[in-house]
Amino acid sequence: MLQQIRKLFTQMNHGSNVEVHTETDVRIISAALLVEIATADQKVDQREHSTLIALLQRHYQLDLKSAQELVEHALEARQNATSLYEFTQIVNEQFNQQNKYTLVLQMWQVAFADGDIGALEEHLIRRVAELIYLPHGLFTRARAEAREDAEGLNNP
């Protein structure tokens, strides 16, 4: 993602035609924020990884291979990023409130996937919700909805 941004600035400085791939950018941003939750405790639980892949497949209508490639790109973008602001700025520019809610819901779903919400995961989701200006009521509703989904999966 950051390489794409650098390429954009290079093209602008050289007067070149600028390539814009908004849909891909949004997918990478969403995936990067979900990956951030999955790796918040410095390890990726298989349940979190599976949930992450399934969410991306369902939300963006991707096949398994495409979702896995998106996660790889997101991991790269995450490693190259200097702050959450790089991701949340694009979310603010391109997401409406419903899409922001869905993103935070998905972040909670990844966090609940392993049955344990760590302090870092909760802090990170709260921070992202603040940076994307998601109202607190929607933040708590997303958490409750994700918790209910997780409990439903664990208690069939």
Side-chain angles (χ1 to χ4, degrees):
M1 177 66 201
L2 291 178
Q3 272 114 17
Q4 291 174 341
I5 293 170
R6 285 186 193 112
K7 181 178 179 181
L8 173 67
F9 285 121
T10 301
Q11 290 172 342
M12 289 170 50
N13 288 337
H14 290 93
S16 304
N17 290 334
V18 176
E19 297 176 26
V20 177
H21 302 287
T22 303
E23 186 175 348
T24 301
D25 292 349
V26 169
R27 289 178 182 187
I28 290 172
I29 296 303
S30 295
L33 289 169
L34 295 176
V35 164
E36 195 69 33
I37 295 302
T39 60
D41 54 7
Q42 304 304 316
K43 61 181 173 32
V44 180
D45 182 280
Q46 184 56 42
R47 294 168 292 184
E48 290 176 331
H49 185 263
S50 296
T51 299
L52 170 61
I53 295 292
L55 287 169
L56 292 172
Q57 283 183 278
R58 189 170 48 246
H59 189 73
Y60 292 114
Q61 289 95 39
L62 300 173
D63 59 36
L64 179 61
K65 182 180 180 199
S66 297
Q68 290 170 331
E69 288 174 357
L70 184 56
V71 168
E72 289 174 24
H73 290 299
L75 283 166
E76 184 179 309
R78 177 187 169 270
Q79 290 172 343
N80 293 329
T82 57
S83 73
L84 285 176
Y85 182 75
E86 294 172 42
F87 300 122
T88 59
Q89 180 181 11
I90 295 171
V91 170
N92 283 325
E93 291 170 357
Q94 298 186 21
F95 283 39
N96 63 26
Q97 187 163 310
Q98 177 60 44
N99 291 337
K100 291 177 181 182
Y101 173 81
T102 300
L103 176 63
V104 171
L105 172 63
Q106 291 172 338
M107 292 174 79
W108 279 119
Q109 289 170 326
V110 170
F112 276 113
D114 65 358
D116 179 44
I117 299 293
L120 287 174
E121 291 170 321
E122 183 166 352
H123 173 76
L124 185 60
I125 298 169
R126 184 176 305 277
R127 184 71 181 127
V128 167
E130 290 170 356
L131 289 170
I132 64 173
Y133 309 110
L134 186 71
H136 185 70
L138 292 178
F139 169 81
T140 56
R141 186 170 111 198
R143 181 184 173 128
E145 186 177 334
R147 178 183 284 137
E148 287 174 17
D149 290 347
E151 289 171 357
L153 291 174
N154 294 332
N155 299 320

